[in-house]
């Protein structure tokens, strides 16, 4: 058994953990989980049967027999009956507050036809009544039969009094109806903003309603800001949803306004997941100023760093490649608006790095990935050696030479496995057989020495980490056409997938000393699954359900609550 009294005392002494009162020092046990199969992620003791929790931290990890000795003083005992225990999942890339709004908004993801798409929007307009915006949606024309991009004239008749701006599943294209285009002042004469496209009908020149990347902002800036109370409600919905899926830490790719929402929930003691907020790289000066004046936060909530964009997405043909798209030879993708004027992204990253801030840059196409690695290399050379943990968000399509560069830079490949079983249905049509070979190259990146951090990109993909693990391990596309795995050489083991959702996630947040493994002295964030995903056939992993979620030493989800 590994007892954590020394570690707990040390942590208390360093002031890293608060809320562990004097009572804890005598190993006061609040919760004991026994008869489990515990994957700890701790190299000193990779597997165990039982975990004892006191206050906010893990006190001891060992066998059921050892832990039973602690029982007389334990407030609560949970017999796991052989269930699997993992460190609480860390989702390295979410749009967490937005997710709360999406939970309550229109769902278009599984609309199977134009008729169904229109019917759902019509129903929402009736439910909302005149004037209220219809947003989110996550539509996916690849799921329509036949696949066909939507147009505003599909929905204008059913939404005469509601502005509509529903997003594609990748969030890089929206469909606006005529009411919304009018509010934004978009006509056939409106030029596309840098890094965006107003899709126009080739015959009439009129906007079809589809707006790509920065062009969507022309409409989205007209959407009234939700009230602070509405935001608190949405954030609470996200937190409940995360607890149901065993997620105890998230990176929130958002803005300072989102930080303030979670700050209020932290103040009220209502956080049931640790939230690390990344704000737009365009706000580098503001963040550097805030961080200089006050500490970056605590283990519940942190203003973690800056998020930037180099390009768009594959699905919207705005991911930026060296060579043209196979199915659209007229384009190689688009650089994001944040890349203009030329050189500004590098200037901001240099500035962030000088201020000691972590940056997380979205790069999907192979050229976008090469560009961001170039910038990282130059910034490191200019500012000198430092523990940076550069993050590339998505790191989706990478030239073989750049995979090695990820390793050399010690960069984080912050990837979302669910995207691969989704995009794998049609990616080859878009970029051809050669580029597909180094697409979602998780195993190659790992072998090259990059740190793989898994996430969902919720609401772009489901928040569920179990689905992410299933996707990374099997690489079976959603259409069932690749039972042996799509680009099968890039499958990772269950253990590597779990590590990418726990240990590695903590490392990318500079938080490996306090979480990510199940070891004495670590924060007590745990998830219990109803089946052993290490033992079941890989295709059954996705069916695993969360039985119990422990956050900060407390059960926040589950029957045993
Ligand atoms: Zn995202």
């Amino acid at each position: 058994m590994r007892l954590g009294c020394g570690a707990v005392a040390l942590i208390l002494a360093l002031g890293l953990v608060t809320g562990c009162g004097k009572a804890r020092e005598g190993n006061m046990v609040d919760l004991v989980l026994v008869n489990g199969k515990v994957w700890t992620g701790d190299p000193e003791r990779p597997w165990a049967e039982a975990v004892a929790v006191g206050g906010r931290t893990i006190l001891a990890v060992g066998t059921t027999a050892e832990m039973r000795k602690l029982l007389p003083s334990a407030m609560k005992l949970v017999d796991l009956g052989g269930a699997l225990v993992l460190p609480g999942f860390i989702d390295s890339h979410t749009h967490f507050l937005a997710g709360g709004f999406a939970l309550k908004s229109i769902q278009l993801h599984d609309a199977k036809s134009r008729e169904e798409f229109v019917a759902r929007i019509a129903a929402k307009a009736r439910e909302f009544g005149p004037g209220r915006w219809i947003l989110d949606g996550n539509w996916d024309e690849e799921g329509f039969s036949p696949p066909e991009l939507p147009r505003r004239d599909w929905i204008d008749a059913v939404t005469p009094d509601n502005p509509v701006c529903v997003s594609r599943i990748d969030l890089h294209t929206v469909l606006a109806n005529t009411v919304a285009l009018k509010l934004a002042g978009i006509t056939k004469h409106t030029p596309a903003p840098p890094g965006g496209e107003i899709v126009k009908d080739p015959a009439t020149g009129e906007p079809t309603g589809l707006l790509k990347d920065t062009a969507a902002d022309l409409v989205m800036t007209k959407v009234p800001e939700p009230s602070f109370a509405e935001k608190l409600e949405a954030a609470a919905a996200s937190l409940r949803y995360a607890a149901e899926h065993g997620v105890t830490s998230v990176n929130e790719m958002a803005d300072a306004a989102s930080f303030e929402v979670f700050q209020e929930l932290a103040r009220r003691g209502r956080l049931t997941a640790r939230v690390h907020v990344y704000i737009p790289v365009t706000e580098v000066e503001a963040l550097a100023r805030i961080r200089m004046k006050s500490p970056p936060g605590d283990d519940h909530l942190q203003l973690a760093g800056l998020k930037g964009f180099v390009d768009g997405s594959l699905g919207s043909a705005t991911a930026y490649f060296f060579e043209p798209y196979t199915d659209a030879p007229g384009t190689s993708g688009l650089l994001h608006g944040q890349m203009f004027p030329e050189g500004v992204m590098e200037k901001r990253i240099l500035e962030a790095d000088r201020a000691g801030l972590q940056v997380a840059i979205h790069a999907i196409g192979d050229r976008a990935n090469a560009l961001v690695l170039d910038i990282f290399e130059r910034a490191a050379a200019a500012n000198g050696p430092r523990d940076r943990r550069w993050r590339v968000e998505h790191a989706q399509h990478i030239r073989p030479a750049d995979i090695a560069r990820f390793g050399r830079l010690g960069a984080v490949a912050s990837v979302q496995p669910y995207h691969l079983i989704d995009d794998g249905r049609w990616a080859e049509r878009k970029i051809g057989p050669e580029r597909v070979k180094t697409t979602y190259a998780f195993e190659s990146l790992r072998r090259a020495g990059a740190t793989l951090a898994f996430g969902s990109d919720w609401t772009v993909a489901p928040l569920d980490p179990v689905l992410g693990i299933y996707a990374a391990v099997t690489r079976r596309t959603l259409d069932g056409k690749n039972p042996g795995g799509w680009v099968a050489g890039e499958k990772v083991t269950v253990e590597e997938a779990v590590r990418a959702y726990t240990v590695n996630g903590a490392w990318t947040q500079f938080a490996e000393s306090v979480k990510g493994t199940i070891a004495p002295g670590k924060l007590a964030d745990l998830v219990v699954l109803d089946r052993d995903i290490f033992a079941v056939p890989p295709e059954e992993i996705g069916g695993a359900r969360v039985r119990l979620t422990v956050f900060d030493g407390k059960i926040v989800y589950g029957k045993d609550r």
Side-chain angles (χ1 to χ4, degrees):
M1 170 171 61
R2 292 188 61 210
L3 262 178
C5 2
V8 171
L10 180 66
I11 285 172
L12 283 168
L14 291 172
L16 292 174
V17 175
T18 54
C20 290
K22 283 262 183 261
R24 306 288 163 247
E25 286 173 6
N27 284 330
M28 180 80 148
V29 182
D30 295 322
L31 172 69
V32 178
L33 307 178
V34 295
N35 287 323
K37 198 174 166 199
V38 183
W39 182 88
T40 67
D42 176 5
E44 281 189 48
R45 175 168 207 160
W47 289 94
E49 293 172 350
V51 186
V53 171
R56 303 170 67 220
T57 55
I58 294 165
L59 291 178
V61 179
T63 64
T64 295
E66 286 166 335
M67 230 49 57
R68 281 198 183 279
K69 291 183 196 146
L70 299 172
L71 288 185
S73 65
M75 313 243 309
K76 188 164 174 65
L77 165 77
V78 178
D79 189 328
L80 297 172
L84 180 70
V85 186
L86 302 172
F89 292 125
I90 298 171
D91 189 319
S92 287
H93 186 124
T94 68
H95 303 277
F96 201 61
L97 177 58
F101 283 103
L103 283 174
K104 299 191 286 179
S105 184
I106 189 167
Q107 309 293 336
L108 296 167
H109 181 207
D110 53 350
K112 292 279 178 285
S113 63
R114 168 180 172 167
E115 290 71 29
E116 197 175 343
F117 177 87
V118 174
R120 287 193 195 182
I121 291 175
K124 206 52 154 183
R126 281 195 301 273
E127 179 195 324
F128 278 3
R132 188 159 158 196
W133 282 78
I134 298 173
L135 301 167
D136 304 301
N138 281 352
W139 52 268
D140 183 2
E141 82 286 356
E142 296 286 343
F144 298 167
S145 50
E148 177 186 13
L149 280 164
R151 304 169 51 95
R152 67 182 158 121
D153 49 29
W154 291 13
I155 56 171
D156 276 344
V158 296
T159 55
D161 304 311
N162 294 80
V164 178
C165 187
V166 284
S167 31
R168 191 180 182 276
I169 180 75
D170 61 0
L171 305 183
H172 289 272
T173 300
V174 298
L175 175 71
N177 69 349
T178 298
V179 179
L181 290 184
K182 278 205 179 121
L183 282 169
I186 297 175
T187 67
K188 66 193 292 189
H189 306 295
T190 309
E197 185 187 346
I198 298 168
V199 179
K200 291 178 181 163
D201 187 300
T204 64
E206 292 290 343
T208 68
L210 292 174
L211 306 169
K212 294 190 179 187
D213 286 294
T214 54
D217 299 342
L218 300 174
V219 172
M220 290 306 288
T221 48
K222 304 294 171 201
V223 179
E225 178 77 0
S227 70
F228 195 69
E230 285 170 332
K231 288 182 182 177
L232 288 174
E233 214 178 279
S238 296
L239 287 163
R240 271 196 304 277
Y241 193 65
E244 284 168 23
H245 290 97
V247 176
T248 54
S249 289
V250 296
N251 285 333
E252 156 75 324
M253 301 301 178
D255 50 28
S258 167
F259 180 79
E260 284 168 355
V261 172
F262 291 103
Q263 199 171 35
E264 177 58 22
L265 288 177
R267 202 185 59 77
R268 297 183 190 181
R270 285 183 55 206
L271 286 185
T272 53
R274 307 180 195 284
V275 183
H276 284 236
V277 181
Y278 289 77
I279 69 172
V281 73
T282 47
E283 293 170 29
V284 57
E285 285 169 32
L287 182 58
R289 219 170 36 238
I290 296 168
R291 288 278 291 261
M292 248 172 259
K293 280 193 209 147
S294 56
D298 58 20
D299 59 47
H300 277 106
L301 177 67
Q302 284 199 9
L303 204 45
L306 294 152
K307 159 87 186 295
F309 287 88
V310 176
D311 64 346
S313 82
L314 186 68
S316 292
T318 52
Y320 193 53
F321 284 92
F322 284 102
E323 304 290 332
Y325 281 80
T326 306
D327 66 344
T331 179
S332 302
L334 284 177
L335 282 173
H336 191 273
Q338 287 181 355
M339 295 294 284
F340 301 97
E342 209 186 321
V344 70
M345 179 63 87
E346 179 155 353
K347 194 175 141 279
R348 286 179 175 140
I349 289 176
L350 268 164
E351 200 178 326
D353 187 53
R354 265 198 304 275
L357 301 171
Q358 191 187 28
V359 293
I361 306 293
H362 165 123
I364 291 191
D366 57 11
R367 194 166 186 185
N369 274 279
L371 279 171
V372 70
L373 294 175
D374 289 346
I375 295 176
F376 285 171
E377 279 176 349
R378 287 196 293 266
N383 292 347
R386 189 170 72 79
D387 184 4
R388 296 185 161 84
R389 310 190 191 182
W390 298 116
R391 300 173 54 121
V392 180
E393 302 306 309
H394 312 304
Q396 215 162 287
H397 310 282
I398 312 175
R399 294 183 304 182
D402 289 332
I403 290 177
R405 276 213 286 168
F406 262 88
R408 277 205 306 280
L409 275 162
V412 175
S414 170
V415 296
Q416 300 79 36
Y418 187 88
H419 287 346
L420 91 91
I421 60 170
D422 195 347
D423 294 12
R425 293 172 296 158
W426 43 260
E428 189 164 339
R429 191 179 79 218
K430 285 204 167 313
I431 56 171
E434 198 49 40
R435 284 181 287 190
V436 153
K437 289 180 191 159
T438 50
T439 279
Y440 298 102
F442 301 162
E443 179 61 9
S444 297
L445 281 163
R446 194 185 70 76
R447 287 214 186 137
T451 297
L452 273 189
F454 283 174
S456 62
D457 206 4
W458 185 54
T459 60
V460 182
L463 183 72
D464 188 357
V466 162
L467 266 185
I469 293 167
Y470 161 82
V473 170
T474 68
R475 295 181 75 100
R476 288 177 149 211
T477 51
L478 295 176
D479 58 10
K481 290 191 179 148
N482 296 275
W486 180 63
V487 197
E490 296 294 344
K491 287 182 193 172
V492 300
T493 63
V494 175
E495 179 150 41
E496 287 305 335
V498 170
R499 199 178 290 283
Y501 260 119
T502 56
V503 180
N504 296 358
W507 187 83
T508 65
Q509 296 178 337
F510 294 86
E512 68 275 18
S513 64
V514 293
K515 67 182 184 186
T517 62
I518 301 176
K522 291 278 175 80
L523 290 166
D525 294 351
L526 307 165
V527 55
V528 179
L529 299 182
D530 67 354
R531 72 186 71 176
D532 180 359
I533 58 173
F534 290 86
V536 299
E539 57 276 14
E540 288 174 24
I541 291 172
R545 291 286 165 267
V546 170
R547 207 180 116 185
L548 199 70
T549 305
V550 177
F551 169 76
D552 225 27
K554 291 190 188 66
I555 296 174
V556 293
Y557 171 76
K559 286 195 279 293
D560 303 297
R561 198 170 173 173

